Amino acid sequence: MKAESDAADRQFEAMKLAAEMDFKRDQMAQEFELKRAEIEAKYAAQVQVERLKMEQQMQRDLAGTLLPPVPAAPIAPPVPAPSPVAGPQMPPEAMGNYQQ
């Protein structure tokens, strides 16, 4: 019972953390758009939105460090068919006088 309760608590905490992270991500996206509009209006400069969004979407570890992109899995070469196996061998005593 204790292990089940602990597992349920950990699952709840993980779901709670995910919801908090989603909320913060949405809040940062809204703040980003406001700041972008402010910079463009104030300095008549274009903000590189696509580059920034690409950086925001990159995978990160738990410490927030960017992880390198995962390359697509290479296509494996075809596996060669197994070589034909010789049929059953005759025991030496069945060969009779055919031995050389």
Side-chain angles (χ1 to χ4, degrees):
M1 294 303 283
K2 174 75 171 143
E4 291 175 7
S5 175
D6 289 345
D9 287 344
R10 284 192 300 274
Q11 184 178 8
F12 173 76
E13 289 299 321
M15 291 173 58
K16 181 179 170 185
L17 179 62
E20 288 173 1
M21 296 301 291
D22 287 344
F23 175 77
K24 287 179 182 179
R25 190 176 301 113
D26 292 344
Q27 187 177 23
M28 286 188 331
Q30 292 171 0
E31 290 172 358
F32 172 78
E33 289 298 323
L34 289 172
K35 191 69 170 176
R36 180 182 63 84
E38 177 185 323
I39 290 171
E40 288 178 353
K42 187 173 182 180
Y43 300 106
Q46 293 295 317
V47 177
Q48 296 177 357
V49 175
E50 291 305 315
R51 183 181 63 82
L52 293 172
K53 284 185 178 183
M54 186 174 65
E55 288 178 9
Q56 288 177 343
Q57 291 174 353
M58 291 179 74
Q59 294 293 319
R60 300 173 189 275
D61 63 12
L62 293 176
T65 306
L66 290 176
L67 299 175
V70 179
I75 299 174
V79 178
S83 61
V85 178
Q89 299 287 323
M90 290 181 19
E93 54 274 354
M95 293 178 66
N97 293 336
Y98 298 110
Q99 292 184 3
Q100 296 178 3

